[in-house]
Amino acid sequence: MTPLFDKLVALLEAEAARFRVCEHPPEGRSDLVAAIRGTEPGQGAKAMLCKCKDDDRTLVLAVLPGDRKLDFKRVAAAAGVKKATLASPEEAQRETGCVIGAIPPFSFSSNIKLIVDPELVERFDEIAFNAGRLDRSMVLDSVDYVRIAKPLLQSLCV
């Protein structure tokens, strides 16, 4: 297991969350992993680490439905900065401890602001995400996710 995967399981168990773990072949693309785990593409919590152009210290973990596209202007507005862009794969791994595609929709760093598009948790009763590794997913009750992660809910999609 990985430390982040173990940390997620421990957090969800401690919070009495309704979730299950799915083991599957390594996959980072949201459409392909949804088919593997038997969920809808829109249930997938696509977590994208963004950095702010005018403030290098501001990082945002933008989380949106797996079948939607991120609007960087909305990310910037939600974060209160002028311009946001995607962090490089190297920056994302350094800041989250995960490769792109394995970043879960949780922030365990005070440096990373968690912003979630409300459509993700309003469309489905459960969300699905790679849990810190490409070969393990979690399917988590949407209400439990919002209760535990405490994200800022803001529209982020095009």
Side-chain angles (χ1 to χ4, degrees):
M1 297 297 149
T2 62
L4 182 55
F5 177 82
D6 295 341
K7 189 176 193 173
L8 279 168
V9 169
L11 171 66
L12 297 177
E13 286 177 346
E15 292 289 337
R18 292 160 289 185
F19 76 101
R20 64 187 179 278
V21 174
C22 306
E23 294 184 31
H24 52 75
E27 181 54 62
R29 285 194 26 211
S30 44
D31 57 336
L32 297 178
V33 78
I36 291 168
R37 63 185 169 222
T39 57
E40 296 291 323
Q43 280 181 275
K46 185 167 29 174
M48 302 172 73
L49 188 67
C50 300
K51 60 183 181 178
C52 302
K53 287 284 202 179
D54 43 322
D55 177 5
D56 282 353
R57 294 178 315 279
T58 300
L59 295 170
V60 172
L61 188 60
V63 181
L64 60 154
D67 61 353
R68 299 293 308 275
K69 299 273 187 237
L70 189 61
D71 182 335
F72 289 100
K73 289 181 179 166
R74 290 183 184 220
V75 172
V81 297
K82 291 181 185 149
K83 190 171 183 182
T85 187
L86 201 57
S88 71
E90 297 78 23
E91 290 167 322
Q93 184 155 11
R94 182 179 66 242
E95 297 296 334
T96 67
C98 299
V99 298
I100 298 288
I103 300 170
F106 288 85
S107 175
F108 292 104
S109 168
S110 58
N111 298 333
I112 301 174
K113 185 175 194 172
L114 180 62
I115 305 176
V116 175
D117 190 294
E119 184 183 328
L120 174 68
V121 293
E122 292 170 356
R123 271 173 59 194
F124 298 97
D125 292 336
E126 295 178 319
I127 65 168
F129 53 92
N130 279 350
R133 42 190 296 174
L134 293 174
D135 63 350
R136 294 282 188 298
S137 291
M138 288 185 177
V139 179
L140 171 62
D141 181 87
S142 297
V143 172
D144 286 342
Y145 169 66
V146 172
R147 174 178 60 85
I148 296 165
K150 298 177 179 52
L152 171 63
L153 294 171
Q154 194 82 33
S155 179
L156 300 174
C157 298
V158 175

